[in-house]
Structure formats: structure tokens, C-alpha cells
Amino acid sequence: MLTLHRARLVLPDPAAAPSITDGAVLVDGAVVAAVGPYAPVAGARVREWDGLLVPGLRNPAGHWLLEVAYHPDPREELGAEPLSADVPEEQRGPSARRGLQRMLGFGTTAVAGPFERAAVRTAVARSGLAALPGDGREGGLDPLAGGGRLAELVHRPLAVGGPADFAVFDAASVAELEERGAGRCLATVLGGRLLYRRR
């Protein structure tokens, strides 16, 4: 099935490619079929986004967020932010799944490990997010917090034939996105599937 994601601004590669005003990404199944200026495509479902479409982000604090921090269940009424707390091993898997789901709300499509706990490795593998090597640094759900630069946090550029992993943010430019942070995520697409959409 073809899906055409149209955005006010599309940035296929923050490190090199120019941005495309009124751009679009055509997705065929799980891969990018085309990137360029918007033009209708016969038979394609169209999703229109009022914002900046960029490749999915890499969260360098994945190890801390999934192996050390605890992501409370909403029924616990402890908030949605990760907590630094000792939890029983049987709660690690559910906590990691909640953490991965929350990361999607920040445009994350890849997380940095290492992931040593079996329950966390399983949760990451089932989530579809890419597991990458990392240094185990501490951090939060927003990869852009604390002055993160978009070009340094992109998992991989959007390219024809490559994975359809990207995010759309409520921002008019890269500078605005970096200033406001990834918490302004409107949608995250992973493997061509819309896995997060802000309500």
C-alpha cells in the first residue's frame, strides 16, 4: 500500500540535503519509494502534516532509560517521566515497553544500548526500534534536550529504497525544533507504520 506523507517542510538529511518546502515522502510498504516536492500519486493514501518531517532520531540514553530508569504504569499515578528507582526484575520488561512507547512520542526510531537484561533486549527487539551500540550515558526521553543538534541525532537519512523511519514535528525550521525540543512530535513512522500520532 502506498502512503504519501506531505509536510510543510521535508528534510531528508539534516547533515547534507537541502530542505524541501511543501515536500513529500512516498512510502511503499516499509521503504521510502520517493522523496521530493509534493505531487499527487494515484492510488496513494495521503497524510498531511503541518510541520517539519525529518528522519527518525537516535536516543543516546537508551541504556539508562530502559535498563536503569523505571517508567511507571499510568495506573500508579507517578507521572509519565522516567524515575530513578530500584524495581524488581519482573517489572523491567513492562517498564521497558512503556519507555519505548514514550520514546516514539519524541520521534525516536533507534536507541543506544548496551542492553544487558533479557527482558529489555526482548522489548527493544519487539518494538521495531533499531538497537545501536552506545556508551550507557544518562539522559531523558527527548534526544534534543540540553542543546542536542538534529544532524548529530538522526538515526539515518531518508533515502529512496531505505527504511521508512521518520518523524514529524510541530516546527517551522531545524532551529525551532532544536530550540523547542522533540517533545513537539506530531507523528513517528517506523517501517512505514504510523506508530505514534499526537492526539
Side-chain angles (χ1 to χ4, degrees):
M1 174 179 208
L2 294 175
T3 304
L4 187 64
H5 293 268
R6 180 183 188 182
R8 183 176 5 144
L9 191 63
V10 173
L11 187 57
D13 183 356
S19 58
I20 304 164
T21 303
D22 192 19
V25 175
L26 181 64
V27 175
D28 186 2
V31 299
V32 174
V35 178
Y38 171 74
V41 174
R45 173 179 52 187
V46 178
R47 292 191 183 273
E48 300 212 17
W49 305 106
D50 187 25
L52 174 64
L53 188 152
V54 299
L57 303 181
R58 172 185 50 83
N59 191 314
H63 171 80
W64 186 85
L65 286 166
L66 302 176
E67 296 239 338
V68 178
Y70 175 66
H71 297 271
D73 185 305
R75 296 170 291 192
E76 294 175 295
E77 297 181 3
L78 296 173
E81 291 300 312
L83 305 172
S84 187
D86 289 328
V87 297
E89 195 61 31
E90 63 269 10
Q91 290 185 14
R92 279 286 154 208
S95 171
R97 289 191 296 276
R98 289 188 296 271
L100 289 159
Q101 187 63 37
R102 289 173 181 150
M103 284 182 199
L104 290 170
F106 290 86
T108 299
T109 59
V111 292
F115 302 115
E116 297 153 352
R117 298 174 191 264
V120 173
R121 283 195 307 271
T122 299
V124 172
R126 289 181 178 169
S127 73
L129 275 76
L132 305 173
D135 56 14
R137 75 176 71 175
E138 191 171 327
L141 292 168
D142 184 347
L144 294 172
R149 312 303 305 166
L150 179 65
E152 297 165 359
L153 292 167
V154 164
H155 174 219
R156 59 181 152 226
L158 286 174
V160 174
D165 297 344
F166 54 89
V168 183
F169 295 93
D170 180 15
S173 67
V174 170
E176 183 180 342
L177 173 60
E178 290 174 342
E179 179 182 323
R180 294 169 99 187
R184 307 286 301 188
C185 185
L186 299 172
T188 303
V189 173
L190 186 60
R193 297 177 299 139
L194 180 62
L195 293 185
Y196 170 80
R197 182 174 190 167
R198 189 194 299 171
R199 297 172 202 240

